[in-house]
Structure formats: structure tokens, C-alpha cells
Amino acid sequence: MGDAIQIEGLAELVKKLEQAGKNAVPLIKEGMATATLEIETKAKEACPVDKGELRRSIESEVEVSGNVITGVVGTNKEYAPYVEYGTGLFSAKGNGRKTPWSY
């Protein structure tokens, strides 16, 4: 994670927000909902499990607290980071186990 995401139509959105002024919160919430839903869809497509509970558990939501609008995409499955980043020698961040597993 941490990769930059290109947002199509950002300039148009900024223009609409400037015009909306104080009434911008509903517009931003709608845009955030659209963005989080797209990210949720991409995450499900990238999930290596074709028919599993991990894919089904990926959800998105938008939270509004005053003028702060937050979009969240995630899962409640504890093993999700291991699927996302790998484990052991194959850890994407390189911080996994340094020696092979043995049985």
C-alpha cells in the first residue's frame, strides 16, 4: 500500500467544491463513496482467492465527523496482511522470516 492513486476528474471536483462553499460536505461524501467503492472493487479483483471469505469480507465505508470525511476500505480477517504482503522469505516488505520454513 502507500501507492499514489490517480483521481480522474479531480480538477472538476475542486471547481465544484469551490462553488459549493459550506455546502460541500455532501458533495465530498458522495465523491469519497465513489472512490472507496472503486478501491473496494479493485481490492476484490486483486485478491488471489477466487471464492473465499477474504474476498467477501472486503468492504468500504465513508465516515463523516464535522468537516472531516474519511473513506475506509478493509477487511476484518486477521490473515489479510499475510495474503497482501506475503510471509517469510517472500514478504513484500522484506521483514519476514530470513530462513526457509522446515517441517
Side-chain angles (χ1 to χ4, degrees), residues 87-90 96-102:
T87 60
L89 298 171
F90 306 104
R97 183 182 177 102
K98 302 300 179 210
T99 57
W101 294 99
S102 61

Side-chain angles (χ1 to χ4, degrees), residues 80-97:
Y82 303 111
V83 174
E84 173 82 14
Y85 299 112
T87 60
L89 298 171
F90 306 104
S91 174
K93 292 186 175 183
N95 58 354
R97 183 182 177 102

Side-chain angles (χ1 to χ4, degrees), residues 10 20 30 38 42 47 66 75 81 86 92 103:
L10 183 59
E30 181 182 334
E38 184 166 333
K42 299 276 186 197
C47 187
T75 176
Y103 300 94

